[in-house]
């Protein structure tokens, strides 16, 4: 049959999310989900939910959630937009700032959804290779980025786990003639962040998600902070009711339980430190991680074999064989203590 799709869509391979296998007794360390449950206050919201409320549309702008976040960051409601996950915000951002006339620039490897969204817009996506094995920025990044209308950095980066230097990024934001999006999906596990750039620079958006650090990947909730004019522009192109009632309430409840949140983040960081120690002792190369996952290369650099052996033992991690720079590595989500134990036992058996 003749295709009625736009040529950009026909040419698109589509984003491939990490698998969500249904097998029992699986150790699932492949999509950076939180190993701990969300705050008990989230359970409270769900238990007290009155289905009658669901007759009504939700608040189109998620104002209560925006106000809680505004207080938390010392910004205004007008500095915030809420998304149905940060992926929803990324869709809005690409629709707003990328087109055949308006190119996008990203470092690579990074979050593999960015080039897919650029392709949907028919926008050129200029990929600037990070330096192999350290995954740091090449010195001429800014010069090569010039002329693009949109530049995205995941900071900390995925799948590598490390962060580009904060002061370098501040200079970049000041000098780049286009929008800079700083995707801070993992910032709660990091030593620093760039949230202050969102109000310091009119051309910067900083994005966060509830999916990783708040253990709420299943409700789809994220937000972006930026200049009120930029936020207003994005509001024009979002779905009218992009965040459902339940998600809005759950977000407010999760944010109210700061103590629980900080304790769970510390636990993930403690487990991360243990994995770094033990995998390094086995001869793995471990990229310094600011996230809830590790990007590691086994002693023989045969990541494909390591991935397959783990899988045969029901331990699922993520492997990105597509690019030469990522092929010797696997990405391992920090799990619960017993899951990490199992990973280490199996790994020890393979490489001892
Ligand atoms: C997980 C992730 C996202 C997506 O977050 P959602 O809120 O679940 O859509 C965005 N960016 C990066 C870098 C991520 O790792």
């Amino acid at each position: 049959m003749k295709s009625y799709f736009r040529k950009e869509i026909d040419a698109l391979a589509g984003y491939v999310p990490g698998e969500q296998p249904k097998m029992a007794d699986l150790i699932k360390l492949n999509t950076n989900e939180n190993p701990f449950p969300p705050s008990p206050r989230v359970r409270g919201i769900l238990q007290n939910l009155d289905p009658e409320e669901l007759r009504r549309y939700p608040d189109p702008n998620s104002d209560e959630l925006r106000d809680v976040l505004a207080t938390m960051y010392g910004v205004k409601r007008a500095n915030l937009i809420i998304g149905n996950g940060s992926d929803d915000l990324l869709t809005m951002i690409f629709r707003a700032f990328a087109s055949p006339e308006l190119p996008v620039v990203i470092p690579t490897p990074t979050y593999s959804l960015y080039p897919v969204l650029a392709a949907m817009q028919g926008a050129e996506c200029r990929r600037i290779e990070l330096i192999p094995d350290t995954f740091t920025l090449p010195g001429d990044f800014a010069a090569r980025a010039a002329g693009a209308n949109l530049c995205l950095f995941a900071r900390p980066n995925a799948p590598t786990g490390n962060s580009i230097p904060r002061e370098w990024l501040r200079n970049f934001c000041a000098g780049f003639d286009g929008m800079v999006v700083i995707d801070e999906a993992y910032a709660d596990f990091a030593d620093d962040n760039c949230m202050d750039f969102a109000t310091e620079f009119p051309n910067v958006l900083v994005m966060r998600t509830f999916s990783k650090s708040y253990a709420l990947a299943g409700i789809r909730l994220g937000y972006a902070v930026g200049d009120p004019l930029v936020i207003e522009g994005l509001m024009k192109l979002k779905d009218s009711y992009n965040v459902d009632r339940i998600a809005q309430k759950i977000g407010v409840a999760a944010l109210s339980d700061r103590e629980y949140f900080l304790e769970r983040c510390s636990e993930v960081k403690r487990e991360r430190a243990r994995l770094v120690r033990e995998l390094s002792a086995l001869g793995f190369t471990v990229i310094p991680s600011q996230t809830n996952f590790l990007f590691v290369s086994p002693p023989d650099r045969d990541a494909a074999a390591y991935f397959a052996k783990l899988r045969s033992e029901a331990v699922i991690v993520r492997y990105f064989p597509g690019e030469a720079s990522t092929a010797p590595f696997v990405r391992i989500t920090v799990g619960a203590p017993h899951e990490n134990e199992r990973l280490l036992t199996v790994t020890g058996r393979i490489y001892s």
Side-chain angles (χ1 to χ4, degrees), residues 15-200:
Y15 175 71
V16 183
E19 55 182 332
Q20 299 288 352
K22 295 287 186 290
M23 293 147 67
D25 300 325
L26 203 69
I27 307 284
K28 189 174 176 304
L29 305 175
N30 68 333
T31 49
N32 300 342
E33 288 140 330
N34 201 303
F36 305 113
S39 158
R41 292 187 194 175
V42 169
R43 179 181 295 269
I45 296 289
L46 291 172
Q47 277 168 343
N48 295 322
L49 199 69
D50 179 0
E52 167 73 13
E53 273 182 59
L54 300 182
R55 278 193 317 115
R56 303 283 187 204
Y57 281 107
D59 175 349
N61 298 332
S62 309
D63 281 342
E64 188 187 356
L65 183 54
R66 287 208 291 168
D67 287 345
V68 172
L69 288 164
T71 305
M72 186 168 145
Y73 292 116
V75 300
K76 302 243 159 53
R77 178 194 278 184
N79 292 112
L80 277 147
I81 182 167
I82 314 292
N84 183 29
S86 11
D87 287 355
D88 180 34
L89 296 164
L90 285 168
T91 299
M92 296 176 207
I93 287 164
F94 276 82
R95 282 159 73 186
F97 302 112
S99 75
E101 295 77 37
L102 300 172
V104 179
V105 63
I106 54 172
T108 188
T110 190
Y111 188 32
S112 54
L113 180 62
Y114 305 153
V116 175
L117 293 174
M120 282 182 198
Q121 291 303 117
E124 176 207 334
C125 188
R126 201 178 301 161
R127 299 166 186 235
I128 304 182
E129 284 281 343
L130 296 171
I131 295 164
D133 279 332
T134 58
F135 300 107
T136 49
L137 288 165
D140 59 354
F141 186 95
R144 290 162 66 191
N149 191 57
L150 172 64
C151 181
L152 298 103
F153 298 97
R155 184 185 191 277
N157 192 30
T160 60
N162 57 343
S163 283
I164 58 176
R166 203 183 113 92
E167 284 316 307
W168 179 91
L169 186 50
R170 168 179 266 132
N171 283 330
F172 181 84
C173 293
F176 182 67
D177 183 17
M179 283 302 300
V180 182
V181 172
I182 309 174
D183 181 348
E184 295 198 327
Y186 301 99
D188 295 316
F189 305 109
D191 297 331
D192 67 0
N193 64 71
C194 298
M195 185 52 88
D196 52 322
F197 297 1
T199 41
E200 182 177 344

Side-chain angles (χ1 to χ4, degrees), residues 3 5-15 115-116 119-120 122:
S3 171
F5 282 99
R6 290 163 44 218
K7 64 182 189 312
E8 291 84 358
I9 308 304
D10 271 330
L12 203 63
Y15 175 71
V116 175
M120 282 182 198

Side-chain angles (χ1 to χ4, degrees), residues 186-227:
Y186 301 99
D188 295 316
F189 305 109
D191 297 331
D192 67 0
N193 64 71
C194 298
M195 185 52 88
D196 52 322
F197 297 1
T199 41
E200 182 177 344
F201 299 104
N203 62 325
V204 172
L205 279 166
V206 175
M207 300 195 344
R208 296 277 179 99
T209 174
F210 286 78
S211 293
K212 281 56 183 244
S213 53
Y214 287 91
L216 288 168
I219 61 160
R220 317 299 307 122
L221 197 58
Y223 54 95
V225 185
D227 188 274

Side-chain angles (χ1 to χ4, degrees), residues 3 20-21 129 154 165 195 199 245 250 274 282-283 328 338 341:
S3 171
Q20 299 288 352
E129 284 281 343
M195 185 52 88
T199 41
R245 255 174 198 280
I250 286 181
R274 177 164 84 108
L282 285 168
H338 75 277
E341 198 55 52

Side-chain angles (χ1 to χ4, degrees), residues 217-275:
I219 61 160
R220 317 299 307 122
L221 197 58
Y223 54 95
V225 185
D227 188 274
L229 284 176
V230 174
I231 298 296
E232 200 181 304
L234 292 175
M235 286 282 191
K236 286 194 287 194
L237 46 76
K238 78 176 183 62
D239 288 352
S240 313
Y241 303 105
N242 65 326
V243 182
D244 69 72
R245 255 174 198 280
I246 304 174
Q248 292 185 32
K249 281 192 165 191
I250 286 181
V252 170
L255 290 172
S256 74
D257 201 352
R258 191 85 192 144
E259 196 180 331
Y260 177 92
F261 168 76
L262 292 173
E263 182 45 44
R264 292 293 88 76
C265 288
S266 302
E267 229 169 317
V268 168
K269 287 191 274 185
R270 277 199 297 276
E271 283 296 308
R272 176 178 78 195
R274 177 164 84 108
L275 285 178

